[in-house]
Amino acid sequence: MSLVPTWSRASVPGRSLVVLAIADSAPRARLAATMLDTLPGPGHAHGLAVLRSAATPSPARIRAELEDTRQAGRRIPLLTTGQIRRLIRRRRPDAVLLDCSGPHTETLSGLGRSFLRRYRPVVVSSLPVPAPEATEGEWLHRSRSDLLVAHSHREMDEYTVLAEKLGIRTQVGLAGVFPRTGQGPVSGRRDRVVFAAEGGLPDGNLGRETLLLALADLARNRPDLEVVLHLGHEDHPEPMETWHALAGAGRVDASALTVTSGALRRQLDHARGLVALGSEPVLVALSARVPCLVLTDFGRERGDLFEDSGLLGDLGDLRLARFHKPKRAWGEYNHFHPASEDDWVARLHELCLNVTRGRIS
């Protein structure tokens, strides 16, 4: 694979920028691509690369995540830290966008600032979706960035308050990555219920049995619905081992559930509802205007993202195929705000201009 990203250009009015995005996982590569898609500017160019590490995703996984973005079909090189440094020196981007974990962001932020004597790119650090809790450690990993990008008002508020407490001068900006919920009617049949294992599984075999039996009850009582067990991209052997054991004991019909893997987005076109224990698949489903059920039977963490969302329920709701739409106020505070409220692009342009004028060193 080429070590040079495929650079694309846009023709939307605005100041020209050259932006290099670096991701360290397949989901973060998609997030970076989504953010790059919002950058305007005549002659503007951007490229995407993935950091090579012990957890480097496969090229096939990266390609799957980049579907429906402008990076789809382009060469996405896997680069070491040294190769990224040389690429920055050669290409001299106006900004480096880091969609990486905290430790990788800290390392790569240092690369950007090491060019100070001759050339200074603006360093942007993007939080993942959903973001980790705003802690001192997480902030310190990202404090060498010029701009920290959050993806919801909630995250922006939490990281801004903590930055002020810690004396961190990094700006905090907002970039939505999901469309606002409730935009227009959904056409086609809605006859699929999806449980997303990538959102987490109950602890212990008993918890998994309880969940799978509830899914089997739904499939038996509602033959008009296809009940899907979605394993995601990762290897989740636990639910399948439990399911096969239940089928072997005659407690469930082995064919009651449809088992799938790959991108969750592909399962949502005909979904009546999505069930999950964790946040990421719920946010993906809400962005597709699919009602959700966030199960509380297996415990919730204090300060949970879905508190006051209107999405919480239990296995009784699941057996009745009872799913929920989010409360509007919750949605606008948690990832589904209007695009007009995003300010990260404006902040980026201002930072790049200040570097050019020598106001940032």
Side-chain angles (χ1 to χ4, degrees), residues 178-211:
F178 297 119
R180 188 173 176 180
T181 55
Q183 295 178 339
V186 177
S187 60
R189 71 186 190 280
R190 291 285 176 175
D191 58 1
R192 179 179 295 160
V193 172
V194 181
F195 172 74
E198 61 264 48
L201 295 166
D203 293 331
N205 190 60
L206 180 59
R208 292 192 292 272
E209 282 188 359
T210 302
L211 172 61

Side-chain angles (χ1 to χ4, degrees), residues 97-110:
L97 169 62
L98 302 176
D99 268 294
C100 298
S101 67
H104 284 157
T105 295
E106 184 172 6
T107 298
L108 295 173
S109 296

Side-chain angles (χ1 to χ4, degrees), residues 43-222:
H44 159 77
H46 54 69
L48 172 63
V50 171
L51 176 67
R52 187 183 293 276
S53 68
T56 301
S58 69
R61 174 74 195 281
I62 296 171
R63 286 195 298 271
E65 287 288 352
L66 296 181
E67 290 178 356
D68 306 321
T69 74
R70 292 177 188 170
Q71 296 293 323
R74 295 195 169 100
R75 296 189 306 273
I76 308 299
L78 307 178
L79 305 181
T80 64
T81 301
Q83 289 169 331
I84 291 171
R85 179 184 176 86
R86 290 192 290 274
L87 177 61
I88 294 173
R89 181 186 294 119
R90 182 170 67 254
R91 186 69 190 193
R92 297 173 68 89
D94 297 292
V96 177
L97 169 62
L98 302 176
D99 268 294
C100 298
S101 67
H104 284 157
T105 295
E106 184 172 6
T107 298
L108 295 173
S109 296
L111 289 184
R113 287 181 173 272
S114 68
F115 292 91
L116 282 173
R117 293 182 181 178
R118 296 160 293 169
Y119 151 70
R120 167 72 156 90
V122 170
V123 179
V124 182
S125 168
S126 169
L127 294 169
V129 178
E133 180 183 357
T135 63
E136 180 176 350
E138 189 65 35
W139 239 129
L140 292 178
H141 282 313
R142 302 175 185 277
S143 61
R144 300 178 74 182
S145 305
D146 301 295
L147 174 64
L148 176 82
V149 180
H151 303 288
S152 74
H153 281 291
R154 173 179 175 165
E155 295 168 353
M156 187 175 182
D157 289 349
E158 291 175 353
Y159 274 82
T160 298
V161 168
L162 184 56
E164 292 174 354
K165 184 181 298 185
L166 297 175
I168 294 173
R169 300 177 62 183
T170 301
Q171 293 188 34
V172 182
L174 181 64
V177 293
F178 297 119
R180 188 173 176 180
T181 55
Q183 295 178 339
V186 177
S187 60
R189 71 186 190 280
R190 291 285 176 175
D191 58 1
R192 179 179 295 160
V193 172
V194 181
F195 172 74
E198 61 264 48
L201 295 166
D203 293 331
N205 190 60
L206 180 59
R208 292 192 292 272
E209 282 188 359
T210 302
L211 172 61
L212 291 171
L213 288 170
L215 291 169
D217 288 344
L218 175 62
R220 182 177 61 254
N221 297 330
R222 292 293 304 271

